[in-house]
Amino acid sequence: MDPINVTAAAEQFTCNAYLVDGEVTTLVDAGAMPGVVDEIREHVDGLDRVVLTHQHGDHVEQLDAVVEAFDAELFAYDDHPHRTHEIADGDAVQIGDESHEVVHTPGHADDHVSFVGETAIFSGDVVVYNDGAFDDGSFGRTDHATGDRERLIESLRTILDRLPDSVTGLYAGHGDPFEADGGESVRDVIERALERAERREPKYPEE
């Protein structure tokens, strides 16, 4: 699997929106970058579906444009005018050539889900590799209306319980992707994020 971050060149705040080509060409989150439709067309002729980790603005601002441009299906945990498929914890969703388990992972957002496959996890904002607060394992913000540190901690534990050892790629909503190369594993990164979250200290000084 070789996900392409189609919002990498954004000049405004956005999430990472990952395009995965294959049997079911899929976009994981739509982001907030104007022109993302054109960027997708640089890589693929069509888009079968969009799957959402959650519906914060930086993940869905360009969703209408993407869905309408490609007549794509929309898989989402919470309701949305464009939703064609409601997803729930334990469901299977194909992304590219790989089936992924839907894992409900609240704490950053009530509707947050992660997509766990055999080789890759799309973790949205619940766990990231680096984000300016921590390197090599960080966790999503919980200092807003839908945030809850205790629920996020439980979500990280759930991911670890349901993460196959074969997963080598972590593709998060912010920061850099992590791809294991024989050193640390994806599990190591998530365990470090959990350890930091369990300290229950403010992630940022302004929290």
Side-chain angles (χ1 to χ4, degrees):
M1 180 177 289
D2 189 20
I4 300 167
N5 181 2
V6 292
T7 57
E11 297 180 355
Q12 65 288 311
F13 182 68
T14 180
C15 75
N16 297 326
Y18 284 107
L19 177 65
V20 184
D21 200 2
E23 182 181 352
V24 182
T25 303
T26 303
L27 185 70
V28 182
D29 292 327
M33 184 183 82
V36 69
V37 168
D38 293 335
E39 184 65 25
I40 293 168
R41 285 184 170 135
E42 289 289 321
H43 301 282
V44 294
D45 294 328
L47 184 68
D48 296 311
R49 64 180 52 159
V50 180
V51 298
L52 295 182
T53 61
H54 62 298
Q55 296 190 41
H56 282 172
D58 56 315
H59 291 252
V60 300
E61 186 174 311
Q62 292 297 315
L63 180 59
D64 290 354
V66 170
V67 169
E68 291 166 5
F70 296 100
D71 193 27
E73 297 177 320
L74 176 63
F75 290 66
Y77 184 90
D78 265 0
D79 193 24
H80 187 279
H82 287 299
R83 186 175 71 176
T84 57
H85 296 77
E86 179 181 357
I87 55 176
D89 186 76
D91 286 351
V93 175
Q94 187 164 340
I95 297 174
D97 295 324
E98 186 171 304
S99 179
H100 288 69
E101 181 184 8
V102 177
V103 181
H104 185 217
T105 48
H108 176 73
D110 291 341
D111 66 325
H112 198 291
V113 297
S114 301
F115 300 97
V116 180
E118 286 300 314
T119 66
I121 174 174
F122 295 91
S123 59
D125 292 358
V126 69
V127 57
V128 304
Y129 179 58
N130 53 23
D131 61 2
F134 298 110
D135 292 330
D136 309 321
S138 190
F139 55 91
R141 297 192 73 141
T142 57
D143 59 328
H144 47 68
T146 61
D148 185 312
R149 179 68 66 87
E150 297 306 317
R151 293 184 80 193
L152 183 136
I153 288 169
E154 288 304 313
S155 291
L156 292 174
R157 292 172 178 162
T158 298
I159 289 172
L160 288 168
D161 286 343
R162 293 160 70 173
L163 186 78
D165 290 338
S166 54
V167 170
T168 57
L170 175 100
Y171 303 95
H174 300 280
D176 296 322
F178 171 80
E179 296 172 341
D181 59 3
E184 287 199 315
S185 67
V186 170
R187 182 174 296 275
D188 292 331
V189 171
I190 299 173
E191 286 178 343
R192 188 177 298 112
L194 173 60
E195 177 185 342
R196 288 166 168 166
E198 286 177 330
R199 296 174 192 167
R200 294 171 174 79
E201 298 171 352
K203 180 178 174 181
Y204 295 103
E206 66 270 21
E207 280 193 13

